[in-house]
Amino acid sequence: MSRRLSFYIHIPYCIQRCGYCDFNTYTPGELQGPDLASVSQNYIDAVLREIDMAHTSLGETEVPTIFFGGGTPSLMPASELSRVISRIRDRFELSSDAEITIEVNPDSVTREFLTQMRDAGANRISMGMQSAKPHVLQVLDRTHKPENVDVAVKNAQSAGFDHISVDLIYGIPTESIEDWKSSVETALSLPIDHISAYALIVERGTKLAAQISRGDVVMPADDETADKYLLADELFSNAGFNWYELSNWSKPGGQCRHNIAYWDGSFWWGVGPGAHSYVEGKRWWNVKHPSTYQQKIFKNEVPELSSEILT
């Protein structure tokens, strides 16, 4: 089978919005709901219908990678996410060595969730660590405790996940070079084979942008942030992690195949509100709001907002 199609599955929910975040994600309060279960009700049903639309559009296709991103996928019941994997397996030819990644928050991911997702076929975890320093996490409005990262990573390891990645962010207000070095060394002490390290970008409209404009917090100098990148690259390399893609390092065999698919011209279908897709020169993106997305899907309308043809 020559045609291959990766799937990105967007889970657009978080319990609390981080101060730096401008991702297409929503809290129960922002959706006028009492809790996550009520605002996410029927969401996976809509996702399954869009997967059916992809099958109607493209027919028989091999699926080499699936990536659940967000938002916070680990807030959803594992039984719901498992339905997505099952539907892709039913409609398409899921590669025997398919890479299936779940993004998780170290505070909300449970041992039971990890075990159930591993049983469903997921084999890669991407965990939002961001920093090992509580005062740095506080600036970002991250709610997790640093020590929970170690527990969650080890739970993923014991559940049998083949690949575990952690995300770090650098260039954060109040973060010293020593703070950053400590975060990197803490990450490298974990049983992982992949690290993502992103420079903080202050996006317009976020809480952090407002704090900076008021002078409540001060961004570090660009040269200091560049020094943090160089330090991280050196420490990662010394620990056997090779730089392979913009903000990503891995041990041999630990590269995220889904990440690479975005860069090498592979086709992918983004399922969910605001998700982007690319197939045969056409790039398109869905309506952003979860309610609008579900309304369109349940009317059997394509949820596409706009598109472009790439030359």
Side-chain angles (χ1 to χ4, degrees), residues 83-274:
R83 292 171 65 206
V84 177
I85 298 173
S86 295
R87 182 60 60 93
I88 293 173
R89 189 180 280 116
D90 289 345
R91 294 288 184 266
F92 300 89
E93 184 181 320
L94 189 62
S95 300
S96 59
D97 65 341
E99 174 193 271
I100 303 179
T101 303
I102 315 280
E103 284 187 346
V104 304
N105 180 297
D107 271 7
S108 63
V109 67
T110 64
R111 186 190 295 265
E112 293 74 23
F113 174 92
L114 291 165
T115 301
Q116 290 172 30
M117 290 312 305
R118 185 69 191 95
D119 290 344
N123 50 22
R124 186 174 181 276
I125 288 293
S126 178
M127 190 172 300
M129 174 179 171
Q130 320 315 359
S131 174
K133 295 295 179 181
H135 71 275
V136 176
L137 292 171
Q138 189 174 359
V139 172
L140 295 174
D141 283 334
R142 296 291 294 189
T143 56
H144 74 265
K145 297 179 175 64
E147 58 269 22
N148 287 358
V149 174
D150 181 66
V151 173
V153 166
K154 286 175 179 170
N155 282 342
Q157 184 186 37
S158 65
F161 279 84
D162 301 323
H163 303 287
I164 303 173
S165 176
V166 296
D167 290 356
L168 298 174
I169 299 178
Y170 60 96
I172 301 163
T174 77
E175 177 195 62
S176 67
I177 291 276
E178 281 304 311
D179 288 337
W180 172 239
K181 183 180 181 186
S182 174
S183 292
V184 170
E185 290 173 340
T186 300
L188 289 172
S189 72
L190 299 169
I192 60 174
D193 64 354
H194 189 282
I195 289 183
S196 299
Y198 303 102
L200 177 65
I201 298 174
V202 181
E203 302 286 1
R204 288 175 59 186
T206 60
K207 176 183 172 184
L208 182 60
Q211 291 172 318
I212 290 169
S213 68
R214 293 194 303 265
D216 296 344
V217 294
V218 178
M219 284 293 286
D222 286 349
D223 282 351
E224 180 185 305
T225 299
D227 287 342
K228 288 175 180 174
Y229 172 88
L230 294 172
L231 174 63
D233 187 51
E234 178 184 359
L235 293 172
F236 294 157
S237 297
N238 290 344
F241 288 77
N242 300 311
W243 177 77
Y244 76 96
E245 187 259 305
L246 208 56
S247 302
N248 292 284
W249 291 255
S250 76
K251 290 183 177 177
Q255 298 93 330
C256 177
R257 288 159 49 203
H258 191 88
N259 279 355
I260 293 169
Y262 291 143
W263 290 91
D264 69 2
S266 296
F267 300 156
W268 79 88
W269 193 294
V271 177

Side-chain angles (χ1 to χ4, degrees), residues 240-305:
F241 288 77
N242 300 311
W243 177 77
Y244 76 96
E245 187 259 305
L246 208 56
S247 302
N248 292 284
W249 291 255
S250 76
K251 290 183 177 177
Q255 298 93 330
C256 177
R257 288 159 49 203
H258 191 88
N259 279 355
I260 293 169
Y262 291 143
W263 290 91
D264 69 2
S266 296
F267 300 156
W268 79 88
W269 193 294
V271 177
H276 288 57
S277 304
Y278 171 72
V279 177
E280 292 179 344
K282 180 184 177 183
R283 184 171 176 270
W284 72 93
W285 45 97
N286 287 345
V287 294
K288 289 190 73 171
H289 200 278
S291 298
T292 310
Y293 169 79
Q294 290 179 73
Q295 287 165 11
K296 283 187 167 291
I297 288 285
F298 291 130
K299 289 179 185 174
N300 289 319
E301 296 176 8
V302 175
E304 180 181 313
L305 175 64

Side-chain angles (χ1 to χ4, degrees), residues 57-72:
S57 174
L58 299 177
E60 291 304 311
T61 308
E62 184 180 357
V63 176
T65 70
I66 303 171
F67 194 106
F68 291 85
T72 312

